[in-house]
C-alpha cells in the first residue's frame, strides 16, 4: 500500500510564495483529462512501458532458476538504465547481508573503472559465474568494453563452454550483442524496442536479475498493475498519484522557482531507488532549458549534512520524503540509561527514525520549504512495483506538462558520439574534427 501526503506542499500550510493553491491544482483538470486520453492512445508506442506489468514471466523465472541452481555468482554487465533498476531491486528487496549469506552472490560491472573491475574479479570465481550482459543498443561503450575483457577470460578458462556462462538482454532484432548471441547460440532476453533504458526495470532488464536473487517478480508486476489501475482515474487529480506528483513538481518548478527535486527516504534500503529516480527524472525532463535537478539524500544521515542548506539556503527546492511504516525488524532502547539520555528509554530505532522525519518536516514547514511524503506500509515487491510504475508514469505525464519529449536523450547521445570519435570508431571521423574544434587545449594549469 502507498499513500501520498502533499499537505506540506500547499499554500494553506507554507504560504502562497512557496506553496501551491488548491485552485492551481484544480485548474489543470481539463489538461489532465485530455492528456490521460493521449497517454492511453500512446501505450502501443511511447508509453509502451505501461504494458510491461501485464507480461508473462514464465521464461524469465525458469531461466533464473537454472542460474540459481548452477552458479555461485551472478554479475550484471550494464550501465545507466541497464543496471540501476537491477541494483535498486537488489538493494530494496534483499537482505543487507545477502552476499554474505546467500547464493548466487550478486555484483554489478557498471563503470569502466579498472580498480573496481579488479575488485569484482577478486570476489568471484569466473568458472562459477553467470554474466548477464545488458545493453539495448548492443554498443554501449562501457558495457561492451567490460564484456570484451570478461569474454576473453571466459574463453581462456572454459573453452567452448563459455557460452553457458552468458545471457544477453538486448534489442530483439539488431545490434552487436544480438548478432553475437545468434551466431554463438547464447541465451537471450528481449528489451522491447519501444521501451527506453530508464523505463525498462519492469522488463527482463530488471526482472531477470530480480528473479535470480529470489525476488518475487510476479508480486512486483502485480503492484505495478495495481498502480496502473489507480492511475486510470483522470477526473480528480488528487486521486491519481502519478499525475498528482507530476503536477506538484511542475507547479513548484515553473511557478515557484523550485529547480531542485530532493528525494529523501527514511529507509536505507531505498537509497538505490533514489539513484534510479535521479536518472529517470533528469534524463527524461532536462531538456530545452527546462526540468528539475534531482538530488539524493538519506534520512537521518543527511539531516546532519544537507538540511541546513535546504532550510536556510536558496529557496529553490522541493523535498520528497519516503516513509516506511513497518520494517522487517526493530531494536528497543534499553531501560536503564544515564539521566542525561534517559529520554530515549522505551523508544525503538524505527520509532526514532520516524520521529526524526516528523521533526525534519516540521522544521521545513517553519522555513516554508515545500515537501511531500510517500508512505509505504512496508518494503516488499508489491509496493516497489507500485512505486516504480507511479514514478515512470509521473515522468511521462510531466513530458506533456513541459511540452518536451521525455523519452529521448539527445544531450547524452552527443557525448557518446564524441567518445566514439575519440576511440576511433569508424564513421565518426567528422565528430573527431568537431571535438578538436570545440576542445581547444588552452588555459590549462599543470601542477608538478
Amino acid at each position: 500500500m502507498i499513500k501520498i501526503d502533499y499537505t506540506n506542499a500547499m499554500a494553506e500550510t507554507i504560504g502562497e510564495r512557496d506553496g501551491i493553491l488548491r485552485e492551481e491544482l484544480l485548474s489543470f483538470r481539463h489538461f489532465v483529462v485530455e492528456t490521460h486520453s493521449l497517454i492511453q492512445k500512446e501505450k502501443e508506442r511511447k508509453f509502451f512501458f505501461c504494458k510491461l506489468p501485464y507480461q508473462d514471466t514464465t521464461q524469465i523465472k525458469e531461466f533464473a532458476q537454472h542460474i540459481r541452481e548452477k552458479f555461485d555468482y551472478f554479475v550484471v554487465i550494464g550501465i545507466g538504465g541497464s543496471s540501476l533498476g537491477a541494483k535498486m531491486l537488489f538493494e530494496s528487496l534483499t537482505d543487507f547481508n545477502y552476499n554474505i549469506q546467500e547464493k548466487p552472490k550478486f555484483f554489478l560491472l557498471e563503470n569502466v573503472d579498472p580498480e573496481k573491475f579488479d575488485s569484482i574479479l577478486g570476489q568471484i570465481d569466473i568458472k562459477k559465474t553467470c554474466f548477464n550482459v545488458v545493453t539495448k543498443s548492443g554498443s554501449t561503450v562501457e558495457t561492451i568494453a567490460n564484456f570484451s575483457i570478461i569474454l576473453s577470460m571466459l574463453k581462456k578458462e572454459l573453452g567452448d563452454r563459455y557460452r553457458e556462462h552468458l545471457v544477453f538482454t538486448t534489442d530483439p532484432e539488431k545490434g552487436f550483442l544480438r548478432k553475437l548471441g545468434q551466431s554463438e547460440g547464447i541465451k537471450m532476453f528481449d528489451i522491447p524496442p519501444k521501451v527506453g533504458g530508464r523505463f525498462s526495470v519492469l522488463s527482463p532488464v530488471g526482472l531477470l536479475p530480480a528473479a535470480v536473487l529470489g525476488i518475487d517478480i510476479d508480486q512486483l508486476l502485480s503492484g505495478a498493475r495495481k498502480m496502473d489501475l489507480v492511475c486510470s482515474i483522470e477526473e480528480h487529480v488528487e486521486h491519481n498519484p502519478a499525475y498528482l506528483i507530476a503536477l506538484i513538481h511542475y507547479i513548484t518548478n515553473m511557478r515557484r522557482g523550485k529547480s531542485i527535486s530532493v528525494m529523501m527516504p527514511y529507509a536505507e534500503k531505498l537509497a538505490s531507488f533514489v539513484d534510479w529516480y535521479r536518472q529517470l527524472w533528469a534524463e527524461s525532463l532536462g531538456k530545452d532549458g527546462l526540468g528539475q535537478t534531482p538530488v539524493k539524500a538519506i534520512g537521518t544521515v543527511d539531516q546532519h549534512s544537507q538540511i541546513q542548506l535546504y532550510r536556510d539556503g536558496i529557496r529553490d527546492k522541493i523535498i520528497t520524503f519516503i516513509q516506511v511504516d513497518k520494517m522487517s525488524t526493530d531494536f528497543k532502547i534499553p531501560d536503564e540509561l544515564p539521566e542525561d539520555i534517559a529520554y530515549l528509554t522505551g523508544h525503538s530505532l524505527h520509532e526514532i527514525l520516524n520521529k526524526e522525519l516528523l521533526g525534519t518536516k516540521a522544521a521545513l514547514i517553519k522555513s516554508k520549504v515545500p515537501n511531500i511524503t510517500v508512505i509505504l506500509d512496508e518494503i516488499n515487491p508489491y509496493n516497489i512495483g507500485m512505486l516504480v510504475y507511479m514514478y515512470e508514469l509521473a515522468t511521462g505525464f510531466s513530458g506533456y506538462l513541459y511540452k518536451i519529449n521525455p523519452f529521448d536523450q539527445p544531450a547524452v547521445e552527443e557525448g557518446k558520439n564524441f567518445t566514439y570519435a575519440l576511440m576511433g570508431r569508424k564513421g565518426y571521423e567528422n565528430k573527431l574534427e568537431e571535438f578538436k574544434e570545440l576542445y581547444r587545449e588552452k588555459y590549462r594549469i599543470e601542477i608538478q
Side-chain angles (χ1 to χ4, degrees):
M1 182 185 72
I2 290 180
K3 294 184 289 185
I4 311 292
D5 179 0
Y6 59 100
T7 308
N8 299 340
M10 303 301 288
E12 59 196 65
T13 303
I14 60 172
E16 294 184 18
R17 183 215 178 274
D18 299 286
I20 300 169
L21 294 165
R22 180 170 171 75
E23 291 78 10
E24 285 182 284
L25 278 181
L26 296 178
S27 71
F28 282 87
R29 184 184 295 119
H30 295 301
F31 176 88
V32 169
V33 172
E34 292 173 4
T35 303
H36 181 78
S37 178
L38 291 172
I39 289 173
Q40 302 315 303
K41 294 174 184 177
E42 286 286 347
K43 284 190 175 181
E44 290 293 337
R45 297 174 61 245
K46 292 180 179 180
F47 281 77
F48 194 86
F49 70 86
C50 293
K51 303 188 74 171
L52 294 178
Y54 300 91
Q55 68 191 283
D56 182 359
T57 61
T58 303
Q59 289 188 25
I60 294 173
K61 290 183 292 187
E62 288 177 351
F63 195 74
Q65 185 59 32
H66 162 73
I67 294 172
R68 287 173 62 82
E69 292 172 356
K70 185 173 180 180
F71 298 99
D72 291 343
Y73 306 91
F74 181 69
V75 178
V76 168
I77 304 176
I79 197 168
S82 296
S83 65
L84 285 175
K87 182 178 182 181
M88 177 266 291
L89 295 177
F90 169 63
E91 295 192 1
S92 299
L93 296 171
T94 66
D95 190 86
F96 281 112
N97 295 321
Y98 176 91
N99 270 0
I100 298 172
Q101 301 170 345
E102 304 290 341
K103 287 184 180 180
K105 300 184 188 303
F106 179 66
F107 298 94
L108 283 156
L109 273 175
E110 298 175 282
N111 207 350
V112 281
D113 184 321
E115 292 183 345
K116 179 67 178 292
F117 190 99
D118 183 61
S119 75
I120 291 176
L121 288 180
Q123 297 177 73
I124 65 174
D125 180 347
I126 200 167
K127 295 179 182 178
K128 299 178 181 179
T129 303
C130 177
F131 295 92
N132 180 201
V133 188
V134 187
T135 163
K136 185 178 180 183
S137 67
S139 60
T140 307
V141 171
E142 298 90 344
T143 303
I144 296 303
N146 285 331
F147 168 56
S148 66
I149 298 169
I150 293 297
L151 181 61
S152 176
M153 291 178 173
L154 283 173
K155 287 182 175 180
K156 182 178 180 181
E157 292 285 343
L158 300 165
D160 290 341
R161 291 189 297 112
Y162 82 90
R163 300 174 182 86
E164 301 169 13
H165 292 249
L166 292 170
V167 53
F168 295 163
T169 307
T170 190
D171 187 274
E173 297 178 358
K174 59 187 179 182
F176 162 73
L177 219 56
R178 175 60 56 174
K179 292 178 183 176
L180 180 64
Q182 289 173 336
S183 65
E184 296 295 310
I186 294 167
K187 177 67 177 179
M188 291 186 284
F189 287 93
D190 298 343
I191 303 175
K194 297 172 186 175
V195 176
R198 59 189 176 274
F199 291 88
S200 68
V201 62
L202 297 181
S203 78
V205 171
L207 295 184
L208 177 61
V212 170
L213 298 168
I215 294 167
D216 189 336
I217 61 173
D218 288 331
Q219 277 295 298
L220 195 68
L221 295 184
S222 180
R225 289 195 297 273
K226 176 64 175 180
M227 185 55 69
D228 185 43
L229 177 63
V230 171
C231 292
S232 65
I233 299 170
E234 76 272 22
E235 293 90 351
H236 304 287
V237 67
E238 297 106 318
H239 299 158
N240 187 313
Y243 297 172
L244 178 64
I245 285 172
L247 275 169
I248 287 172
H249 281 79
Y250 175 78
I251 294 171
T252 55
N253 179 202
M254 300 299 286
R255 298 183 180 180
R256 302 295 188 276
K258 311 305 179 187
S259 59
I260 295 175
S261 167
V262 179
M263 182 174 280
M264 191 171 184
Y266 275 66
E268 292 206 33
K269 276 195 169 186
L270 296 177
S272 285
F273 180 83
V274 188
D275 294 331
W276 173 83
Y277 163 76
R278 286 190 304 176
Q279 181 190 12
L280 184 71
W281 206 248
E283 198 167 72
S284 299
L285 305 178
K287 290 156 191 169
D288 298 339
L290 301 169
Q292 289 174 313
T293 301
V295 170
K296 177 180 181 179
I298 302 296
T300 65
V301 174
D302 288 314
Q303 289 178 201
H304 301 268
S305 66
Q306 296 182 38
I307 291 297
Q308 172 65 38
L309 172 67
Y310 300 165
R311 285 198 64 205
D312 209 21
I314 299 174
R315 296 169 69 171
D316 58 355
K317 301 165 191 72
I318 176 171
I319 320 292
T320 298
F321 296 108
I322 304 180
Q323 176 181 337
V324 181
D325 282 341
K326 180 183 177 183
M327 292 199 165
S328 60
T329 189
D330 200 6
F331 293 88
K332 199 164 187 177
I333 307 296
D335 292 335
E336 297 180 3
L337 294 175
E339 184 178 349
D340 288 352
I341 58 172
Y343 70 91
L344 293 171
T345 297
H347 298 295
S348 71
L349 293 183
H350 185 227
E351 185 183 355
I352 294 171
L353 193 68
N354 281 336
K355 287 187 183 300
E356 293 262 20
L357 170 56
L358 284 172
T360 300
K361 288 200 286 186
L364 290 174
I365 291 170
K366 188 173 181 179
S367 298
K368 312 298 184 187
V369 178
N371 61 91
I372 66 173
T373 305
V374 178
I375 305 163
L376 310 183
D377 58 343
E378 61 181 329
I379 299 175
N380 58 34
Y382 185 85
N383 284 343
I384 293 298
M386 292 184 75
L387 198 61
V388 163
Y389 189 89
M390 179 175 74
Y391 271 99
E392 287 182 338
L393 187 56
T395 303
F397 181 84
S398 294
Y400 286 96
L401 288 167
Y402 284 106
K403 296 181 174 60
I404 54 94
N405 179 5
F407 303 110
D408 65 358
Q409 51 283 332
V412 177
E413 297 304 322
E414 189 73 0
K416 288 181 180 179
N417 291 338
F418 283 132
T419 300
Y420 290 145
L422 291 167
M423 297 296 291
R425 185 174 179 180
K426 188 176 179 180
Y428 288 82
E429 294 82 3
N430 62 325
K431 278 291 175 186
L432 183 59
E433 294 306 313
E434 184 181 350
F435 174 86
K436 290 178 180 178
E437 180 65 24
L438 288 168
Y439 195 84
R440 300 171 187 271
E441 294 191 6
K442 292 183 178 181
Y443 313 119
R444 299 184 72 182
I445 299 174
E446 186 173 328
I447 301 174
Q448 295 288 342

